[in-house]
């Protein structure tokens, strides 16, 4: 069984979904520490001038190093939903598939989400459906606790779900202890995602945008994701 593991991410890039697609089980790693300035609460959208960040403000003051991602609250004071929706609707309104996707995205920017992880989870579900992804997904926060950090944590999670192969992101080469995985009888393979080029709403091509950029511009996103 091929297992992949990734932290929650807001408007994830295409490689996130490629990893889920190539797995027999995907673990939604919401039990590790929230990382400020990461893709957990931000990503990029395309504009006529290139790209801009879309960042969900979170409440971490005084407790940044104590919170798991599952525990992180969205800051309800800042009007992030109105700003994000204005940026998305204005920059994608002329995209080929805008009429299909803007109505599906809009509810996320009117629903009062408390937790970042729940927002990312609900969005991921919608995007998976659009991309034809049916891989089973489990939240680590709903599993029995698993001990360890970094490579040991990943290995122990793989053991807990009966993985025979772990599909790692390319950065896993930096920290994974492959010998430990081999000893446990778990093969390690690395994702080296080749980002596809497609026609965007503005001239030129900017890779590594959030998944909505592909969905807004491509009538057949499944074929493009699979390469």
């Amino acid at each position: 069984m091929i297992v992949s593991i990734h932290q929650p991410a807001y408007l994830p890039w295409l490689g996130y979904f490629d990893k889920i697609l190539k797995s027999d089980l995907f673990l939604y790693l919401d039990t590790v520490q929230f990382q400020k300035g990461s893709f957990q609460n931000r990503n990029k959208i395309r504009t006529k001038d290139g790209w801009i960040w879309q960042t969900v403000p979170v409440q971490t003051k005084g407790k940044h190093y104590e919170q798991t991602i599952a525990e992180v609250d969205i800051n309800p004071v800042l009007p992030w939903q109105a700003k994000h929706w204005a940026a998305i609707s204005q920059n994608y309104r002329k995209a080929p598939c805008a009429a299909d996707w803007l109505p599906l995205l809009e509810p996320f920017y009117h629903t009062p989400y408390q937790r970042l992880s729940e927002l990312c989870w609900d969005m991921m579900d919608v995007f998976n459906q659009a991309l034809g992804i049916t891989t089973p997904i489990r939240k680590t926060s709903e599993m029995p606790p698993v001990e360890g950090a970094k490579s040991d944590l990943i290995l122990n999670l793989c053991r807990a779900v009966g993985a025979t192969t772990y599909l790692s992101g390319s950065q896993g080469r930096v920290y994974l202890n492959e010998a430990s995985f081999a000893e446990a009888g778990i093969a390690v393979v690395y994702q080296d995602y080749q980002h596809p080029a497609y026609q965007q709403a503005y001239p030129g091509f900017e890779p590594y945008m959030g998944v909505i950029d592909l969905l807004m511009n491509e009538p057949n996103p499944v074929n493009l994701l699979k390469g």
Side-chain angles (χ1 to χ4, degrees):
M1 179 172 67
I2 301 172
V3 173
S4 62
I5 303 171
H6 207 291
Q7 299 159 4
Y10 177 62
L11 302 179
W13 75 300
L14 300 186
Y16 191 97
F17 296 96
D18 174 74
K19 185 187 286 187
I20 301 174
L21 181 65
K22 291 177 177 175
S23 304
D24 298 311
L25 175 67
F26 178 76
L27 297 184
Y28 188 77
L29 185 59
D30 58 354
T31 48
V32 294
Q33 181 184 308
F34 173 75
Q35 295 177 321
K36 187 175 182 180
S38 73
F39 287 97
Q40 293 165 7
N41 68 317
R42 68 173 186 170
N43 221 306
K44 305 172 184 177
I45 65 168
R46 184 77 159 88
T47 74
K48 63 182 178 62
D49 298 316
W51 57 266
I52 58 173
W53 287 111
Q54 297 287 273
T55 303
V56 179
V58 295
Q59 296 182 307
T60 58
K61 186 175 181 181
K63 51 189 176 181
H64 174 52
Y65 296 105
E66 302 170 5
Q67 291 182 300
T68 65
I69 301 171
E71 297 169 327
V72 172
D73 286 334
I74 295 172
N75 189 329
V77 176
L78 300 176
W80 70 273
Q81 287 175 300
K83 289 182 178 179
H84 286 207
W85 179 241
I88 290 169
S89 58
Q90 289 169 15
N91 285 291
Y92 287 110
R93 67 182 185 276
K94 294 183 180 180
C97 304
D100 296 324
W101 270 98
L102 288 177
L104 290 175
L105 288 172
E106 187 171 10
F108 291 112
Y109 297 98
H110 297 293
T111 302
Y113 280 92
Q114 178 183 351
R115 293 280 168 87
L116 172 67
S117 181
E118 293 305 316
L119 169 66
C120 295
W121 175 268
D122 288 351
M123 283 189 152
M124 179 182 63
D125 183 57
V126 170
F127 298 144
N128 279 342
Q129 290 181 47
L131 295 167
I133 296 172
T134 58
T135 303
I137 300 175
R138 294 177 65 182
K139 295 179 181 179
T140 56
S141 59
E142 296 177 355
M143 294 171 54
V146 173
E147 299 298 323
K150 296 187 177 181
S151 183
D152 289 341
L153 173 62
I154 299 301
L155 175 58
N156 290 336
L157 284 168
C158 286
R159 281 173 165 158
V161 296
T164 56
T165 299
Y166 173 56
L167 174 58
S168 170
S170 60
Q171 292 300 310
R173 291 185 175 94
V174 177
Y175 68 89
L176 288 180
N177 183 340
E178 294 186 26
S180 296
F181 280 80
E183 186 176 343
I186 300 172
V188 177
V189 295
Y190 294 99
Q191 177 198 38
D192 288 304
Y193 186 62
Q194 302 300 309
H195 198 293
Y198 53 89
Q199 188 70 40
Q200 292 178 322
Y202 303 100
F205 180 70
E206 291 280 353
Y208 311 115
M209 299 297 101
V211 65
I212 63 170
D213 189 76
L214 175 70
L215 298 175
M216 291 284 188
N217 288 295
E218 277 292 327
N220 299 302
V222 177
N223 294 335
L224 205 68
L225 177 69
K226 293 180 179 179

